[in-house]
Amino acid sequence: MCRRALLAILLALFLRSEPLSAALSFERHLSSITYLVENEGVQCTTWSINERQGLWITAAHCAVIETEDGDIYARTLFLRTKPVTVVRFDLSSDLALLKADVHRPGLRLGWLPAAGDAATVYGYPLGIPAPVALFVHVANPWYPYEGWPQAMLFSGHGWPGHSGSPIFDRRGRVISVCQATVVHGSRGDVGGMLGVAWAPLKAFGVDLWES
C-alpha cells in the first residue's frame, strides 16, 4: 500500500495534477467516482448517474468485449466488491450503463463545451487506490476518430485505468467520458486524450441525469 501511495504522489506530480480531495470545488463528487475490477485488477473508472436506481456510467469497451466475428459479451466486473450488471451499451459512442447495489449521488450534465475550455478528468490511472485529478483543455469538441465517430479531443493524455472517467467543466458538471489516448504516426506520437462527444453523452442518459 505504501508503494501505491508513493506511485500516486509521483504520478500526480508528473501529470501536474492533484488528489481529488485537494480540489475543493469537486470534493462533493468523491463518493460518486470509483473503479471497476476485473480478474482482481483495476480495469476502468466508473461514476454514478442515478443514485436511486444504482446506475453507473463507464466506457463501453470497459464493459463488453466484441469478438472478430461480431459477437459481444459482457465482462465479469465488480464495482469495487459489488457485482455489476451491464444494462445497455452503445459502441459507436463508447458508453455503457451499469447497475450495481451501490447508491451514490448522481453527477450532473454540463453544457456543450467550446474549444479552449478548461476541463478536469477524475479517474484511477494505473490502479492507484485514490482518484487523481488531471487538468486538460478542450482541443476539439467534435473529433471523430477511427471506430468512434462521436468523440471529443482534449489536451494531455490518459493512462490505463482512465477509461470511463468523468470529465468535468469548471462548474463541476460532466461534459465527456474518457475513452483513450489518441496516437498519430508510425512513431506513436501522442495527439491528446479522447472523450465521448457531449451530444451522445446527453442522449445516452437522457432520462437518468440528476436534476
Side-chain angles (χ1 to χ4, degrees):
M1 184 60 70
C2 291
R3 295 180 64 182
R4 284 191 172 186
L6 178 60
L7 178 61
I9 294 172
L10 293 175
L11 182 61
L13 291 173
F14 178 76
L15 295 176
R16 295 182 181 180
S17 59
E18 58 182 332
L20 179 60
S21 58
L24 297 179
S25 61
F26 295 94
E27 197 171 34
R28 64 186 183 276
H29 299 316
L30 179 60
S31 67
S32 300
I33 306 169
T34 188
Y35 54 84
L36 292 169
V37 175
E38 182 182 29
N39 298 327
E40 300 183 356
V42 174
Q43 169 76 11
C44 291
T45 301
T46 187
W47 47 275
S48 174
I49 188 174
N50 189 288
E51 179 178 17
R52 182 177 61 83
Q53 299 182 51
L55 297 176
W56 297 71
I57 293 286
T58 192
H61 70 269
C62 297
V64 299
I65 301 172
E66 184 176 17
T67 67
E68 294 182 356
D69 297 330
D71 297 325
I72 299 176
Y73 301 92
R75 296 179 182 272
T76 302
L77 297 172
F78 294 86
L79 201 159
R80 290 186 178 254
T81 60
K82 298 289 187 178
V84 168
T85 299
V86 179
V87 178
R88 57 185 170 91
F89 59 88
D90 179 15
L91 295 179
S92 65
S93 62
D94 196 28
L95 289 170
L97 182 67
L98 313 176
K99 185 175 180 62
D101 188 20
V102 181
H103 302 268
R104 298 291 184 270
L107 301 182
R108 299 181 179 184
L109 179 69
W111 295 102
L112 175 66
D117 285 356
T120 308
V121 186
Y122 291 124
Y124 288 81
L126 302 178
I128 292 174
V132 173
L134 172 62
F135 302 101
V136 297
H137 288 83
V138 178
N140 189 335
W142 193 261
Y143 187 84
Y145 182 76
E146 295 185 355
W148 293 318
Q150 305 180 87
M152 188 184 306
L153 185 66
F154 295 85
S155 63
H157 65 91
W159 297 81
H162 262 134
S163 292
S165 299
I167 304 178
F168 294 93
D169 60 16
R170 290 182 178 273
R171 300 177 60 209
R173 305 291 180 91
V174 181
I175 57 171
S176 185
V177 178
C178 183
Q179 295 173 288
T181 295
V182 177
V183 176
H184 294 299
S186 59
R187 295 184 303 172
D189 298 329
V190 173
M193 176 185 288
L194 201 68
V196 178
W198 180 83
L201 176 61
K202 178 184 178 183
F204 188 80
V206 63
D207 297 323
L208 304 174
W209 288 103
E210 300 283 15
S211 59

